[in-house]
């Protein structure tokens, strides 16, 4: 049994205990079960529970562990739980968390509560949080923590090591100590592992990494992720106006990447990036219904095309049967193209100089598939309805629509990106509308020509 | 200008230089441009180039940098380039790469070439690669490198530090040294930052982390990713039969996560996980066309339903107009549900004890949306065709199909997962077939009842 399934199994047992009963003996049993699993498992257990059970589990949890479990929850679930806490509980929770996580959580709460909680904190911690809280969450400033170890550049390796030995423990993921001048200006960083292998008498300037390695505080979060990815950093300095203001560590990058997983996919069907799997009905209905409404409108556009051709459908009823086929093939081909292009944009592979090549390839792919599948479909339909005029109509209309899918799938996301609309959000709806309309229209116009 | 757009801009300039001309003066200019950018930028430039230009860029690249650029390319592109290299070039390239990356690359090449290249390597390196190459790429063994620093547990902090000072440099991302006994059995690990703050005379056993922290060599890659995510590791020991065999570092985890980005999305439209944006026509056509073929077959299933109802369509031609509307709404609602469920499965939130709750919520959501949008659509269509029988038919059929979408979207991925089929690959096609068939069928049966 892999670790994954073992854990999943324990979560399942917990759930069954919770569902079956809630008499005191049962609750005691659940509390014991909760105590026997790791914080991460409790967090996953809460995430995997419907809203009502979540509060119950939270109540049964050892208060000592609340902070450690809380930071492992997704933002959506954190918000749900924190709105139900008393101010004292909230304060207790925030004291346990990293500065950057505290700031994120406070940012989600109503301003009134945020102010009150901040005022009840220790002076030192409040100041630290306030340094971070003003930066937008989606920037380097919003991700960073202020837990940095700094040294001056006029020291030797030996003196720095002696200084570091005075710490009880260095902050998690400390792979660098940062070098600053007396005004707090960032001068560079020294890798801890360099400190260990360097000669004791070597001046810090000799073992320092180039000053050019740092993250500007306003850098967007996705660029920071890219920088970590490109440079294999474990931790890096965050700098504002030349001054060191914090650091970002790779564990935060991993968390961001995990949250971003399937971002495009979620947005393409009108869902939020970090949608809670077990969100309550009330929380889900608004966004979900809006999306259906938008799609209903675009479907009306598509069928209003068909409406114009009632006469020809009445004449050749097979046309009504075949119509959905033509539209769907264009949509499928278009969404393949679009998915590749959206990913290419995200990976920064696509720019104005290579779009033409991409479009050409997609059109060739569309043409080749059309040659293959439109003849197959065309002859099958010709045989089916015993009418080989239909073969020609199907072949031409399907080819036209596969090309429409290829062109729209390539150019639409690039265009949306250019006018600063997230391609993942809008491309799908527009693409389907285009391939539906082109599919219906080309097929029905051809039918009119052939039979009209 | 952000770093991102600055870089993108340079890539664009390079591309334009390459497209415009290829006379010697131009090529010299490109070579200079290439020399002025980082390895990561060159890699991105290659990724963003059509196949023919890729070879040209590779030719123009300083041979010294080939290894560093090569490891930054995606697997697909690495394979394309490596098949065109001479054995000497390949050997040179492999010498520059990390052991785990070398093994990955060698795994992609034909066995004949692999053997020949391995035999031409230095003994030490060959042995190291052979340790790794036999593990499947998608397991801990396939991701690990063998670049570990080990110590014995009967030493003091001071002696270990003195031992480490003898290294010129510790391997990248060394956050731990691993403790083994004389037989190579894994005993635990010591954080480098603990070594720095610990008392010089402290025995290693006192600063060691618990022995339970390690990765079993056969653990699937996605579980390893989850473990790093849950535990905020920077590097971790890989153990086989109790013996330390290698380590995995967080930079490899970040790379895997980046590759996995949009995995579901790519698979849902029948594409490979790490599809090359600028893959050649020949490389793309097979998989893409197969997908269209599968969808064509399912579309035939759907339209064969319509075919059974030619009489009623002939009688009330409006039915042909409205048909696609009913089918599409069920598909849209179903794909929202399905996306949430697929993500929930990936996050291990869904198990047999909470499926019922999820299904109930999705059905409520479907019912509520049906109430809202089917009445809207129904009355609009009634007004449009001046026939309020249609209103009733649309309302009932749309409600039925929204529920079909909710039920299929919830249960299908869970079922596929249970029978060990990746939900992301097959769910979409099956869902659309179900909602098309249910949509067409319910609408046409109702029409027959009302008008027949």
């Amino acid at each position: 049994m892999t670790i994954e399934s073992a854990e999943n199994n324990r979560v399942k047992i917990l759930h069954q205990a919770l569902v079956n009963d809630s008499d005191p003996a049962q609750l005691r049993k659940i509390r014991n079960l909760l105590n026997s699993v790791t914080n991460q498992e409790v967090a996953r257990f809460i995430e995997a529970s419907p809203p009502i059970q979540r509060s119950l589990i939270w109540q049964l949890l050892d208060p000592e562990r609340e902070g450690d479990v809380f930071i492992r929850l997704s933002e959506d679930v954190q918000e749900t739980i924190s709105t139900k806490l008393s101010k004292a509980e909230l304060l207790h929770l925030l004291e346990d968390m990293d500065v950057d996580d505290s700031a994120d959580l406070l940012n989600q709460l109503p301003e009134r509560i945020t102010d009150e909680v901040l005022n009840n904190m220790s002076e030192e911690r409040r100041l630290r949080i306030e340094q971070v809280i003003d930066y937008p969450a989606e920037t380097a400033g919003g991700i960073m923590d202020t837990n940095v170890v700094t040294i001056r550049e006029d020291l030797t390796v030996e003196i720095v090591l002696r200084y570091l030995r005075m710490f009880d423990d260095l902050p998690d993921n400390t792979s660098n100590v940062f070098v600053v001048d007396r005004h707090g200006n960032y001068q560079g960083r020294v890798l801890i592992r360099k400190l260990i292998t360097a000669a004791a008498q070597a001046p810090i300037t000799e073992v320092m990494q180039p000053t050019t390695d740092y993250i500007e505080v306003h850098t967007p979060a996705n660029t920071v992720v890219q920088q970590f990815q490109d440079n294999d950093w474990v931790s890096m300095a965050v700098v504002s106006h030349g001054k060191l203001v914090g650091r970002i560590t790779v564990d935060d990058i991993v968390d961001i990447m995990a949250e971003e997983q399937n971002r495009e996919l979620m947005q393409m069907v009108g869902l939020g990036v970090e949608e809670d799997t077990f969100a309550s009905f009330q929380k889900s209905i608004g966004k979900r219904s809006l999306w259906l409404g938008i799609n209903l409108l675009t479907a009306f556009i598509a069928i209003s095309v068909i409406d114009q051709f009632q006469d020809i459908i009445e004449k050749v009823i097979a046309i009504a049967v075949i119509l959905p086929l033509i539209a769907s093939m264009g949509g499928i081909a278009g969404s393949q193209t679009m998915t590749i292009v959206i990913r290419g944009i995200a990976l920064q592979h696509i720019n104005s100089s290579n779009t033409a090549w991409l479009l050409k390839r997609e059109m060739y792919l569309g043409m080749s598939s059309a040659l293959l599948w439109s003849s197959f479909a065309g002859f099958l339909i010709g045989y089916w309805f015993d009418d080989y005029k239909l073969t020609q109509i199907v072949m031409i209309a399907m080819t036209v629509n596969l090309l429409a899918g290829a062109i729209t799938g390539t150019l639409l996301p690039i265009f949306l990106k250019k006018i600063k609309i997230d391609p993942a959000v809008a491309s799908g709806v527009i693409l389907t509308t285009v391939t539906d309309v082109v599919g219906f229209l080309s097929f029905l116009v051809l039918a009119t020509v052939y039979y009209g």
Side-chain angles (χ1 to χ4, degrees), chain A residues 41 80 120 131 138 154 168 171 182 196 240 248 271 304 306 311 335 354 358 364 397 401 405 408:
Chain A
E41 284 171 306
T80 319
N120 280 303
Q131 278 177 334
E138 301 296 299
D154 51 5
D168 281 339
R182 70 168 75 183
I196 287 187
S240 168
I248 295 175
L271 298 167
S304 69
I306 309 178
D311 296 347
S335 61
N354 56 23
L358 201 63
Y364 281 148
N401 207 21
T408 314

Side-chain angles (χ1 to χ4, degrees), chain A residues 7 54 273 310 348:
Chain A
E7 179 172 322
R54 280 178 183 162
V273 174
Q310 291 203 17
Q348 301 177 39

Side-chain angles (χ1 to χ4, degrees), chain A residues 3 58 99 128 140 147 186 205 230 252 270 289 293 295 297-298 327 334 353 366 368 389 399-400 408 411 426 443 451:
Chain A
I3 293 181
W58 190 256
V99 167
R128 282 187 148 207
N147 224 346
Y186 179 65
T205 44
D230 291 352
D252 291 318
S289 226
N295 277 281
L297 288 179
T298 64
S353 70
S368 314
K389 265 196 206 167
T399 305
V400 168
T408 314
L411 298 184
F443 187 68
Y451 296 99

